Amino acid sequence: RKEVEQDPGPFNVPEGATVAFNCTYSNSASQSFFWYRQDCRKEPKLLMSVYSSGNEDGRFTAQLNRASQYISLLIRDSKLSDSATYLCVVNQGGTYKYIFGTGTRLKVLA
Amino acid sequence: ETGVTQTPRHLVMGMTNKKSLKCEQHLGHNAMYWYKQSAKKPLELMFVYNFKEQTENNSVPSRFSPECPNSSHLFLHLHTLQPEDSALYLCASSQELAGDSYNEQFFGPGTRLTVL
């Protein structure tokens, strides 16, 4: 089983749609969780951290389910500019290693 | 845009060449990282430095040799590479090592390496 698994997509959605991605992780000792965004041929950039109680930033909502070992990202009212690859990142608990998923590709269509 | 710069942005080299990648961070961070990103694969951690001391070598072949002269600069020296080493090499920095806290990593733009 991969340490961090994501559906590669692509998810093709119309503008204004709501879309959700999940990411599962295998190490139950993982302590910190993130969603990064990577545009084509660019470097990854932090979108948001994912906290135990869940957190929201504008149109973006992140959730953590420790019992089932997954995190989710919900994007409401999708914009064309949301088209990118979304990387799930998990800190390997007790270490300083960040484990990246392969990413989920989102295309928002006009 | 970001406080992490990388040079060169593109590099083409033969298998017998020796070249170096450079990374510089202007954020006052203590930890720096090298990652490899190949097509269809997740980012792979290669090396981690904390306060210019190497804390992780993630089973990387010896043809990749890192150097960290100070907390702001990180190099990756390359020699006798293979075509399968062609990839995007990303440098990142964070305030502290990840540990149990939420430490955002800031990435440089990467060096796109092609080995012929």
Side-chain angles (χ1 to χ4, degrees):
Chain A
R1 183 182 174 186
K2 291 181 183 177
E3 292 178 278
V4 177
E5 287 201 74
Q6 295 182 253
D7 181 341
F11 284 59
N12 298 320
V13 302
E15 269 188 293
T18 295
V19 61
F21 312 133
N22 279 345
C23 164
T24 58
Y25 60 94
S26 62
N27 188 339
S28 59
S30 299
Q31 294 293 333
S32 50
F33 309 87
F34 310 85
W35 284 103
Y36 276 72
R37 170 190 169 135
Q38 187 171 24
D39 292 289
C40 187
R41 305 188 78 79
K42 294 287 186 70
E43 72 274 20
K45 292 184 180 179
L46 180 68
L47 177 66
M48 57 197 304
S49 302
V50 187
Y51 302 113
S52 297
S53 55
N55 46 299
E56 188 174 307
D57 182 2
R59 298 181 293 109
F60 299 86
T61 301
Q63 296 282 346
L64 168 62
N65 186 317
R66 286 191 183 273
S68 300
Q69 294 183 203
Y70 75 86
I71 66 172
S72 64
L73 177 67
L74 180 77
I75 305 176
R76 290 181 298 278
D77 188 24
S78 299
K79 312 290 185 190
L80 293 175
S81 56
D82 293 334
S83 297
T85 296
Y86 291 83
L87 304 173
C88 173
V89 185
V90 176
N91 164 240
Q92 191 171 3
T95 77
Y96 33 77
K97 288 186 181 180
Y98 293 94
I99 308 299
F100 284 74
T102 52
T104 296
R105 193 170 170 203
L106 172 66
K107 292 184 181 179
V108 180
L109 308 171
Chain B
E1 279 187 5
T2 70
V4 182
T5 58
Q6 289 186 244
T7 55
R9 296 292 305 277
H10 300 271
L11 178 62
V12 179
M13 60 187 289
M15 289 191 284
T16 58
N17 292 157
K18 287 185 180 181
K19 296 287 184 183
S20 295
L21 310 185
K22 179 182 176 181
C23 174
E24 184 174 359
Q25 58 97 358
H26 313 273
L27 301 167
H29 287 169
N30 298 318
M32 297 187 76
Y33 313 76
W34 277 118
Y35 286 91
K36 174 183 179 182
Q37 187 174 34
S38 304
K40 308 290 185 186
K41 290 186 177 180
L43 269 73
E44 299 172 53
L45 180 66
M46 300 175 73
F47 301 104
V48 181
Y49 279 82
N50 188 38
F51 290 100
K52 77 177 183 179
E53 297 296 324
Q54 187 179 130
T55 54
E56 182 73 23
N57 176 336
N58 204 27
S59 303
V60 180
S62 60
R63 57 185 184 269
F64 295 92
S65 174
E67 178 190 359
C68 189
N70 54 62
S71 294
S72 299
H73 293 85
L74 188 61
F75 295 89
L76 188 62
H77 304 300
L78 316 171
H79 64 99
T80 60
L81 294 193
Q82 304 298 313
E84 59 265 29
D85 296 323
S86 298
L88 180 67
Y89 289 84
L90 290 160
C91 173
S93 71
S94 62
Q95 183 63 53
E96 307 292 343
L97 288 177
D100 296 330
S101 62
Y102 280 79
N103 264 281
E104 178 181 356
Q105 286 191 307
F106 292 81
F107 285 84
T111 295
R112 190 158 295 280
L113 173 67
T114 303
V115 182
L116 301 176

mmCIF file of all heavy atoms in Angstrom, chain B residues 45-89:
data_model
loop_
_atom_site.group_PDB
_atom_site.id
_atom_site.type_symbol
_atom_site.label_atom_id
_atom_site.label_comp_id
_atom_site.label_asym_id
_atom_site.label_seq_id
_atom_site.Cartn_x
_atom_site.Cartn_y
_atom_site.Cartn_z
ATOM 1 N N LEU B 45 11.620 12.708 -1.662
ATOM 2 C CA LEU B 45 12.606 13.397 -0.833
ATOM 3 C C LEU B 45 13.978 12.770 -1.060
ATOM 4 O O LEU B 45 14.129 11.550 -1.031
ATOM 5 C CB LEU B 45 12.213 13.275 0.634
ATOM 6 C CG LEU B 45 13.140 13.937 1.645
ATOM 7 C CD1 LEU B 45 13.135 15.455 1.473
ATOM 8 C CD2 LEU B 45 12.742 13.556 3.059
ATOM 9 N N MET B 46 14.986 13.635 -1.282
ATOM 10 C CA MET B 46 16.346 13.143 -1.491
ATOM 11 C C MET B 46 17.211 13.412 -0.266
ATOM 12 O O MET B 46 17.807 12.505 0.304
ATOM 13 C CB MET B 46 16.959 13.813 -2.719
ATOM 14 C CG MET B 46 16.213 13.563 -4.019
ATOM 15 S SD MET B 46 16.920 14.489 -5.394
ATOM 16 C CE MET B 46 18.447 13.583 -5.688
ATOM 17 N N PHE B 47 17.313 14.662 0.103
ATOM 18 C CA PHE B 47 18.185 15.060 1.208
ATOM 19 C C PHE B 47 17.496 16.108 2.065
ATOM 20 O O PHE B 47 16.706 16.908 1.575
ATOM 21 C CB PHE B 47 19.493 15.659 0.681
ATOM 22 C CG PHE B 47 20.296 14.746 -0.192
ATOM 23 C CD1 PHE B 47 20.308 14.916 -1.570
ATOM 24 C CD2 PHE B 47 21.052 13.715 0.355
ATOM 25 C CE1 PHE B 47 21.036 14.074 -2.391
ATOM 26 C CE2 PHE B 47 21.789 12.875 -0.454
ATOM 27 C CZ PHE B 47 21.783 13.045 -1.832
ATOM 28 N N VAL B 48 17.854 16.104 3.362
ATOM 29 C CA VAL B 48 17.361 17.111 4.299
ATOM 30 C C VAL B 48 18.550 17.673 5.062
ATOM 31 O O VAL B 48 19.409 16.913 5.522
ATOM 32 C CB VAL B 48 16.359 16.501 5.309
ATOM 33 C CG1 VAL B 48 15.840 17.579 6.257
ATOM 34 C CG2 VAL B 48 15.202 15.834 4.593
ATOM 35 N N TYR B 49 18.577 18.984 5.188
ATOM 36 C CA TYR B 49 19.594 19.656 5.992
ATOM 37 C C TYR B 49 18.906 20.518 7.037
ATOM 38 O O TYR B 49 17.916 21.190 6.753
ATOM 39 C CB TYR B 49 20.489 20.545 5.116
ATOM 40 C CG TYR B 49 21.578 19.789 4.410
ATOM 41 C CD1 TYR B 49 21.313 19.111 3.227
ATOM 42 C CD2 TYR B 49 22.869 19.748 4.928
ATOM 43 C CE1 TYR B 49 22.310 18.405 2.574
ATOM 44 C CE2 TYR B 49 23.876 19.040 4.279
ATOM 45 C CZ TYR B 49 23.587 18.371 3.098
ATOM 46 O OH TYR B 49 24.574 17.674 2.465
ATOM 47 N N ASN B 50 19.457 20.491 8.244
ATOM 48 C CA ASN B 50 18.954 21.331 9.319
ATOM 49 C C ASN B 50 20.145 22.074 9.917
ATOM 50 O O ASN B 50 21.097 21.448 10.367
ATOM 51 C CB ASN B 50 18.256 20.488 10.388
ATOM 52 C CG ASN B 50 17.559 21.335 11.415
ATOM 53 O OD1 ASN B 50 16.976 22.362 11.097
ATOM 54 N ND2 ASN B 50 17.603 20.925 12.669
ATOM 55 N N PHE B 51 20.081 23.398 9.913
ATOM 56 C CA PHE B 51 21.224 24.196 10.371
ATOM 57 C C PHE B 51 22.504 23.726 9.688
ATOM 58 O O PHE B 51 23.525 23.522 10.334
ATOM 59 C CB PHE B 51 21.392 24.103 11.892
ATOM 60 C CG PHE B 51 20.316 24.813 12.653
ATOM 61 C CD1 PHE B 51 19.260 24.106 13.198
ATOM 62 C CD2 PHE B 51 20.357 26.179 12.839
ATOM 63 C CE1 PHE B 51 18.263 24.747 13.899
ATOM 64 C CE2 PHE B 51 19.364 26.828 13.548
ATOM 65 C CZ PHE B 51 18.322 26.099 14.077
ATOM 66 N N LYS B 52 22.421 23.534 8.394
ATOM 67 C CA LYS B 52 23.492 23.122 7.482
ATOM 68 C C LYS B 52 24.074 21.743 7.776
ATOM 69 O O LYS B 52 25.079 21.354 7.184
ATOM 70 C CB LYS B 52 24.593 24.177 7.378
ATOM 71 C CG LYS B 52 25.573 24.251 8.524
ATOM 72 C CD LYS B 52 26.638 25.304 8.229
ATOM 73 C CE LYS B 52 27.674 25.344 9.337
ATOM 74 N NZ LYS B 52 28.742 26.313 9.095
ATOM 75 N N GLU B 53 23.449 20.983 8.647
ATOM 76 C CA GLU B 53 23.883 19.616 8.891
ATOM 77 C C GLU B 53 22.911 18.640 8.221
ATOM 78 O O GLU B 53 21.696 18.771 8.368
ATOM 79 C CB GLU B 53 23.925 19.323 10.396
ATOM 80 C CG GLU B 53 24.913 20.170 11.179
ATOM 81 C CD GLU B 53 26.345 19.916 10.763
ATOM 82 O OE1 GLU B 53 26.687 18.753 10.454
ATOM 83 O OE2 GLU B 53 27.139 20.884 10.717
ATOM 84 N N GLN B 54 23.469 17.656 7.511
ATOM 85 C CA GLN B 54 22.600 16.712 6.826
ATOM 86 C C GLN B 54 21.946 15.794 7.851
ATOM 87 O O GLN B 54 22.617 15.184 8.682
ATOM 88 C CB GLN B 54 23.398 15.876 5.822
ATOM 89 C CG GLN B 54 22.500 14.987 4.957
ATOM 90 C CD GLN B 54 23.274 14.163 3.940
ATOM 91 O OE1 GLN B 54 23.094 12.964 3.832
ATOM 92 N NE2 GLN B 54 24.139 14.794 3.176
ATOM 93 N N THR B 55 20.636 15.718 7.790
ATOM 94 C CA THR B 55 19.901 14.874 8.709
ATOM 95 C C THR B 55 19.217 13.707 8.008
ATOM 96 O O THR B 55 18.674 12.831 8.658
ATOM 97 C CB THR B 55 18.818 15.684 9.451
ATOM 98 O OG1 THR B 55 17.998 16.337 8.473
ATOM 99 C CG2 THR B 55 19.432 16.736 10.351
ATOM 100 N N GLU B 56 19.216 13.709 6.696
ATOM 101 C CA GLU B 56 18.554 12.634 5.976
ATOM 102 C C GLU B 56 19.183 12.449 4.604
ATOM 103 O O GLU B 56 19.423 13.420 3.890
ATOM 104 C CB GLU B 56 17.063 12.970 5.782
ATOM 105 C CG GLU B 56 16.246 11.897 5.075
ATOM 106 C CD GLU B 56 15.982 10.687 5.936
ATOM 107 O OE1 GLU B 56 16.021 10.804 7.160
ATOM 108 O OE2 GLU B 56 15.739 9.609 5.368
ATOM 109 N N ASN B 57 19.488 11.215 4.290
ATOM 110 C CA ASN B 57 19.879 10.827 2.934
ATOM 111 C C ASN B 57 18.952 9.680 2.595
ATOM 112 O O ASN B 57 19.113 8.571 3.112
ATOM 113 C CB ASN B 57 21.341 10.389 2.893
ATOM 114 C CG ASN B 57 21.768 9.889 1.526
ATOM 115 O OD1 ASN B 57 20.946 9.454 0.721
ATOM 116 N ND2 ASN B 57 23.048 9.959 1.253
ATOM 117 N N ASN B 58 17.975 9.956 1.751
ATOM 118 C CA ASN B 58 16.905 9.002 1.526
ATOM 119 C C ASN B 58 17.307 7.963 0.483
ATOM 120 O O ASN B 58 16.665 7.826 -0.553
ATOM 121 C CB ASN B 58 15.654 9.767 1.089
ATOM 122 C CG ASN B 58 14.373 9.004 1.380
ATOM 123 O OD1 ASN B 58 14.315 8.193 2.294
ATOM 124 N ND2 ASN B 58 13.353 9.260 0.589
ATOM 125 N N SER B 59 18.404 7.241 0.770
ATOM 126 C CA SER B 59 18.884 6.172 -0.123
ATOM 127 C C SER B 59 19.135 6.679 -1.531
ATOM 128 O O SER B 59 18.734 6.037 -2.516
ATOM 129 C CB SER B 59 17.876 5.018 -0.161
ATOM 130 O OG SER B 59 17.645 4.510 1.124
ATOM 131 N N VAL B 60 19.769 7.820 -1.616
ATOM 132 C CA VAL B 60 20.042 8.423 -2.918
ATOM 133 C C VAL B 60 21.384 7.909 -3.449
ATOM 134 O O VAL B 60 22.352 7.824 -2.693
ATOM 135 C CB VAL B 60 20.089 9.958 -2.794
ATOM 136 C CG1 VAL B 60 20.369 10.608 -4.150
ATOM 137 C CG2 VAL B 60 18.778 10.478 -2.213
ATOM 138 N N PRO B 61 21.462 7.562 -4.750
ATOM 139 C CA PRO B 61 22.735 7.093 -5.314
ATOM 140 C C PRO B 61 23.847 8.119 -5.145
ATOM 141 O O PRO B 61 23.595 9.336 -5.141
ATOM 142 C CB PRO B 61 22.397 6.883 -6.801
ATOM 143 C CG PRO B 61 20.922 6.737 -6.851
ATOM 144 C CD PRO B 61 20.369 7.547 -5.741
ATOM 145 N N SER B 62 25.067 7.627 -5.045
ATOM 146 C CA SER B 62 26.206 8.502 -4.773
ATOM 147 C C SER B 62 26.535 9.440 -5.931
ATOM 148 O O SER B 62 27.334 10.364 -5.764
ATOM 149 C CB SER B 62 27.432 7.660 -4.427
ATOM 150 O OG SER B 62 27.743 6.806 -5.512
ATOM 151 N N ARG B 63 25.936 9.240 -7.085
ATOM 152 C CA ARG B 63 26.167 10.165 -8.190
ATOM 153 C C ARG B 63 25.502 11.531 -7.920
ATOM 154 O O ARG B 63 25.744 12.496 -8.650
ATOM 155 C CB ARG B 63 25.684 9.577 -9.514
ATOM 156 C CG ARG B 63 24.228 9.177 -9.566
ATOM 157 C CD ARG B 63 23.923 8.481 -10.903
ATOM 158 N NE ARG B 63 22.517 8.146 -11.054
ATOM 159 C CZ ARG B 63 21.999 6.995 -10.675
ATOM 160 N NH1 ARG B 63 22.774 6.068 -10.093
ATOM 161 N NH2 ARG B 63 20.709 6.753 -10.854
ATOM 162 N N PHE B 64 24.682 11.593 -6.878
ATOM 163 C CA PHE B 64 24.124 12.855 -6.390
ATOM 164 C C PHE B 64 24.837 13.191 -5.078
ATOM 165 O O PHE B 64 24.777 12.403 -4.122
ATOM 166 C CB PHE B 64 22.625 12.736 -6.131
ATOM 167 C CG PHE B 64 21.809 12.486 -7.358
ATOM 168 C CD1 PHE B 64 21.516 11.189 -7.762
ATOM 169 C CD2 PHE B 64 21.317 13.541 -8.115
ATOM 170 C CE1 PHE B 64 20.761 10.951 -8.903
ATOM 171 C CE2 PHE B 64 20.557 13.320 -9.249
ATOM 172 C CZ PHE B 64 20.277 12.011 -9.647
ATOM 173 N N SER B 65 25.445 14.360 -5.014
ATOM 174 C CA SER B 65 26.207 14.733 -3.827
ATOM 175 C C SER B 65 25.771 16.112 -3.357
ATOM 176 O O SER B 65 26.005 17.101 -4.046
ATOM 177 C CB SER B 65 27.705 14.738 -4.163
ATOM 178 O OG SER B 65 28.446 15.215 -3.079
ATOM 179 N N PRO B 66 25.124 16.202 -2.198
ATOM 180 C CA PRO B 66 24.667 17.500 -1.729
ATOM 181 C C PRO B 66 25.760 18.235 -0.954
ATOM 182 O O PRO B 66 26.703 17.633 -0.449
ATOM 183 C CB PRO B 66 23.514 17.136 -0.785
ATOM 184 C CG PRO B 66 23.932 15.815 -0.216
ATOM 185 C CD PRO B 66 24.713 15.116 -1.296
ATOM 186 N N GLU B 67 25.588 19.548 -0.897
ATOM 187 C CA GLU B 67 26.495 20.378 -0.109
ATOM 188 C C GLU B 67 25.706 21.535 0.459
ATOM 189 O O GLU B 67 24.939 22.178 -0.266
ATOM 190 C CB GLU B 67 27.641 20.908 -0.979
ATOM 191 C CG GLU B 67 28.607 21.821 -0.233
ATOM 192 C CD GLU B 67 29.578 22.526 -1.160
ATOM 193 O OE1 GLU B 67 29.532 22.295 -2.390
ATOM 194 O OE2 GLU B 67 30.369 23.333 -0.649
ATOM 195 N N CYS B 68 25.906 21.812 1.736
ATOM 196 C CA CYS B 68 25.183 22.911 2.378
ATOM 197 C C CYS B 68 26.177 23.757 3.156
ATOM 198 O O CYS B 68 26.430 23.488 4.335
ATOM 199 C CB CYS B 68 24.090 22.358 3.291
ATOM 200 S SG CYS B 68 22.962 23.605 3.941
ATOM 201 N N PRO B 69 26.774 24.756 2.533
ATOM 202 C CA PRO B 69 27.805 25.555 3.202
ATOM 203 C C PRO B 69 27.268 26.432 4.323
ATOM 204 O O PRO B 69 27.995 26.763 5.246
ATOM 205 C CB PRO B 69 28.382 26.406 2.070
ATOM 206 C CG PRO B 69 27.283 26.472 1.054
ATOM 207 C CD PRO B 69 26.549 25.169 1.150
ATOM 208 N N ASN B 70 26.011 26.809 4.247
ATOM 209 C CA ASN B 70 25.365 27.595 5.309
ATOM 210 C C ASN B 70 23.859 27.404 5.214
ATOM 211 O O ASN B 70 23.378 26.753 4.274
ATOM 212 C CB ASN B 70 25.745 29.079 5.210
ATOM 213 C CG ASN B 70 25.462 29.642 3.836
ATOM 214 O OD1 ASN B 70 24.318 29.663 3.392
ATOM 215 N ND2 ASN B 70 26.509 30.097 3.146
ATOM 216 N N SER B 71 23.133 27.969 6.148
ATOM 217 C CA SER B 71 21.688 27.721 6.201
ATOM 218 C C SER B 71 20.922 28.300 5.020
ATOM 219 O O SER B 71 19.758 27.964 4.828
ATOM 220 C CB SER B 71 21.110 28.303 7.497
ATOM 221 O OG SER B 71 21.615 27.617 8.614
ATOM 222 N N SER B 72 21.563 29.166 4.231
ATOM 223 C CA SER B 72 20.843 29.809 3.137
ATOM 224 C C SER B 72 21.117 29.192 1.780
ATOM 225 O O SER B 72 20.401 29.479 0.823
ATOM 226 C CB SER B 72 21.230 31.297 3.065
ATOM 227 O OG SER B 72 20.879 31.958 4.243
ATOM 228 N N HIS B 73 22.158 28.390 1.683
ATOM 229 C CA HIS B 73 22.552 27.853 0.385
ATOM 230 C C HIS B 73 22.617 26.333 0.406
ATOM 231 O O HIS B 73 23.076 25.727 1.377
ATOM 232 C CB HIS B 73 23.936 28.394 -0.024
ATOM 233 C CG HIS B 73 23.946 29.858 -0.303
ATOM 234 N ND1 HIS B 73 24.098 30.801 0.697
ATOM 235 C CD2 HIS B 73 23.799 30.542 -1.462
ATOM 236 C CE1 HIS B 73 24.059 32.011 0.167
ATOM 237 N NE2 HIS B 73 23.879 31.884 -1.144
ATOM 238 N N LEU B 74 22.183 25.762 -0.693
ATOM 239 C CA LEU B 74 22.194 24.308 -0.841
ATOM 240 C C LEU B 74 22.576 23.993 -2.276
ATOM 241 O O LEU B 74 22.069 24.618 -3.215
ATOM 242 C CB LEU B 74 20.797 23.741 -0.533
ATOM 243 C CG LEU B 74 20.630 22.234 -0.446
ATOM 244 C CD1 LEU B 74 21.487 21.643 0.666
ATOM 245 C CD2 LEU B 74 19.162 21.884 -0.223
ATOM 246 N N PHE B 75 23.486 23.053 -2.428
ATOM 247 C CA PHE B 75 23.920 22.643 -3.760
ATOM 248 C C PHE B 75 23.624 21.160 -3.945
ATOM 249 O O PHE B 75 23.574 20.386 -2.982
ATOM 250 C CB PHE B 75 25.429 22.879 -3.953
ATOM 251 C CG PHE B 75 25.823 24.325 -3.925
ATOM 252 C CD1 PHE B 75 26.145 24.945 -2.723
ATOM 253 C CD2 PHE B 75 25.880 25.066 -5.087
ATOM 254 C CE1 PHE B 75 26.520 26.288 -2.679
ATOM 255 C CE2 PHE B 75 26.257 26.407 -5.064
ATOM 256 C CZ PHE B 75 26.565 27.006 -3.858
ATOM 257 N N LEU B 76 23.475 20.774 -5.204
ATOM 258 C CA LEU B 76 23.386 19.361 -5.558
ATOM 259 C C LEU B 76 24.370 19.132 -6.695
ATOM 260 O O LEU B 76 24.183 19.619 -7.807
ATOM 261 C CB LEU B 76 21.969 18.978 -5.985
ATOM 262 C CG LEU B 76 21.703 17.490 -6.187
ATOM 263 C CD1 LEU B 76 21.913 16.712 -4.884
ATOM 264 C CD2 LEU B 76 20.291 17.256 -6.706
ATOM 265 N N HIS B 77 25.460 18.421 -6.372
ATOM 266 C CA HIS B 77 26.484 18.145 -7.371
ATOM 267 C C HIS B 77 26.151 16.850 -8.092
ATOM 268 O O HIS B 77 25.799 15.847 -7.454
ATOM 269 C CB HIS B 77 27.861 18.042 -6.698
ATOM 270 C CG HIS B 77 28.234 19.258 -5.912
ATOM 271 N ND1 HIS B 77 28.338 20.521 -6.485
ATOM 272 C CD2 HIS B 77 28.496 19.418 -4.582
ATOM 273 C CE1 HIS B 77 28.671 21.399 -5.565
ATOM 274 N NE2 HIS B 77 28.771 20.768 -4.400
ATOM 275 N N LEU B 78 26.257 16.896 -9.410
ATOM 276 C CA LEU B 78 25.838 15.779 -10.249
ATOM 277 C C LEU B 78 27.029 15.249 -11.046
ATOM 278 O O LEU B 78 27.786 16.038 -11.618
ATOM 279 C CB LEU B 78 24.761 16.245 -11.239
ATOM 280 C CG LEU B 78 23.647 17.148 -10.682
ATOM 281 C CD1 LEU B 78 22.801 17.705 -11.819
ATOM 282 C CD2 LEU B 78 22.808 16.393 -9.686
ATOM 283 N N HIS B 79 27.190 13.942 -11.078
ATOM 284 C CA HIS B 79 28.236 13.377 -11.929
ATOM 285 C C HIS B 79 27.863 11.971 -12.361
ATOM 286 O O HIS B 79 27.283 11.205 -11.605
ATOM 287 C CB HIS B 79 29.587 13.400 -11.211
ATOM 288 C CG HIS B 79 29.643 12.556 -9.983
ATOM 289 N ND1 HIS B 79 30.180 11.287 -9.952
ATOM 290 C CD2 HIS B 79 29.228 12.794 -8.730
ATOM 291 C CE1 HIS B 79 30.089 10.798 -8.737
ATOM 292 N NE2 HIS B 79 29.535 11.684 -7.977
ATOM 293 N N THR B 80 28.215 11.658 -13.587
ATOM 294 C CA THR B 80 27.912 10.361 -14.212
ATOM 295 C C THR B 80 26.465 9.966 -14.015
ATOM 296 O O THR B 80 26.145 8.870 -13.527
ATOM 297 C CB THR B 80 28.851 9.252 -13.713
ATOM 298 O OG1 THR B 80 28.715 9.103 -12.292
ATOM 299 C CG2 THR B 80 30.264 9.547 -14.078
ATOM 300 N N LEU B 81 25.565 10.878 -14.366
ATOM 301 C CA LEU B 81 24.143 10.586 -14.236
ATOM 302 C C LEU B 81 23.665 9.652 -15.341
ATOM 303 O O LEU B 81 24.349 9.443 -16.348
ATOM 304 C CB LEU B 81 23.338 11.884 -14.274
ATOM 305 C CG LEU B 81 23.533 12.855 -13.108
ATOM 306 C CD1 LEU B 81 22.452 13.926 -13.116
ATOM 307 C CD2 LEU B 81 23.544 12.144 -11.768
ATOM 308 N N GLN B 82 22.482 9.106 -15.129
ATOM 309 C CA GLN B 82 21.839 8.210 -16.080
ATOM 310 C C GLN B 82 20.623 8.907 -16.693
ATOM 311 O O GLN B 82 20.051 9.815 -16.073
ATOM 312 C CB GLN B 82 21.392 6.938 -15.359
ATOM 313 C CG GLN B 82 22.512 6.214 -14.616
ATOM 314 C CD GLN B 82 23.594 5.754 -15.554
ATOM 315 O OE1 GLN B 82 23.310 5.165 -16.599
ATOM 316 N NE2 GLN B 82 24.853 6.033 -15.214
ATOM 317 N N PRO B 83 20.202 8.479 -17.862
ATOM 318 C CA PRO B 83 19.006 9.098 -18.473
ATOM 319 C C PRO B 83 17.788 9.070 -17.557
ATOM 320 O O PRO B 83 16.981 10.005 -17.577
ATOM 321 C CB PRO B 83 18.789 8.263 -19.739
ATOM 322 C CG PRO B 83 20.153 7.786 -20.109
ATOM 323 C CD PRO B 83 20.840 7.529 -18.795
ATOM 324 N N GLU B 84 17.657 8.043 -16.736
ATOM 325 C CA GLU B 84 16.488 7.964 -15.833
ATOM 326 C C GLU B 84 16.540 8.985 -14.706
ATOM 327 O O GLU B 84 15.569 9.137 -13.949
ATOM 328 C CB GLU B 84 16.342 6.553 -15.238
ATOM 329 C CG GLU B 84 17.524 6.069 -14.435
ATOM 330 C CD GLU B 84 18.481 5.228 -15.269
ATOM 331 O OE1 GLU B 84 18.577 5.439 -16.506
ATOM 332 O OE2 GLU B 84 19.155 4.360 -14.658
ATOM 333 N N ASP B 85 17.657 9.705 -14.600
ATOM 334 C CA ASP B 85 17.757 10.790 -13.620
ATOM 335 C C ASP B 85 17.128 12.078 -14.142
ATOM 336 O O ASP B 85 17.022 13.061 -13.394
ATOM 337 C CB ASP B 85 19.218 11.059 -13.258
ATOM 338 C CG ASP B 85 19.869 9.875 -12.563
ATOM 339 O OD1 ASP B 85 19.172 9.210 -11.757
ATOM 340 O OD2 ASP B 85 21.055 9.606 -12.828
ATOM 341 N N SER B 86 16.725 12.078 -15.388
ATOM 342 C CA SER B 86 16.046 13.255 -15.954
ATOM 343 C C SER B 86 14.753 13.492 -15.180
ATOM 344 O O SER B 86 13.929 12.587 -15.037
ATOM 345 C CB SER B 86 15.732 13.034 -17.430
ATOM 346 O OG SER B 86 16.920 12.853 -18.176
ATOM 347 N N ALA B 87 14.594 14.717 -14.676
ATOM 348 C CA ALA B 87 13.442 15.026 -13.820
ATOM 349 C C ALA B 87 13.493 16.507 -13.469
ATOM 350 O O ALA B 87 14.405 17.232 -13.865
ATOM 351 C CB ALA B 87 13.477 14.197 -12.539
ATOM 352 N N LEU B 88 12.498 16.930 -12.708
ATOM 353 C CA LEU B 88 12.498 18.270 -12.121
ATOM 354 C C LEU B 88 13.057 18.152 -10.707
ATOM 355 O O LEU B 88 12.565 17.351 -9.915
ATOM 356 C CB LEU B 88 11.077 18.829 -12.083
ATOM 357 C CG LEU B 88 10.908 20.232 -11.501
ATOM 358 C CD1 LEU B 88 11.562 21.282 -12.399
ATOM 359 C CD2 LEU B 88 9.424 20.558 -11.307
ATOM 360 N N TYR B 89 14.101 18.908 -10.425
ATOM 361 C CA TYR B 89 14.704 18.883 -9.085
ATOM 362 C C TYR B 89 14.295 20.152 -8.348
ATOM 363 O O TYR B 89 14.598 21.266 -8.774
ATOM 364 C CB TYR B 89 16.229 18.739 -9.185
ATOM 365 C CG TYR B 89 16.593 17.344 -9.638
ATOM 366 C CD1 TYR B 89 16.610 17.020 -10.993
ATOM 367 C CD2 TYR B 89 16.854 16.336 -8.708
ATOM 368 C CE1 TYR B 89 16.883 15.726 -11.416
ATOM 369 C CE2 TYR B 89 17.129 15.044 -9.122
ATOM 370 C CZ TYR B 89 17.143 14.736 -10.477
ATOM 371 O OH TYR B 89 17.403 13.457 -10.887
#
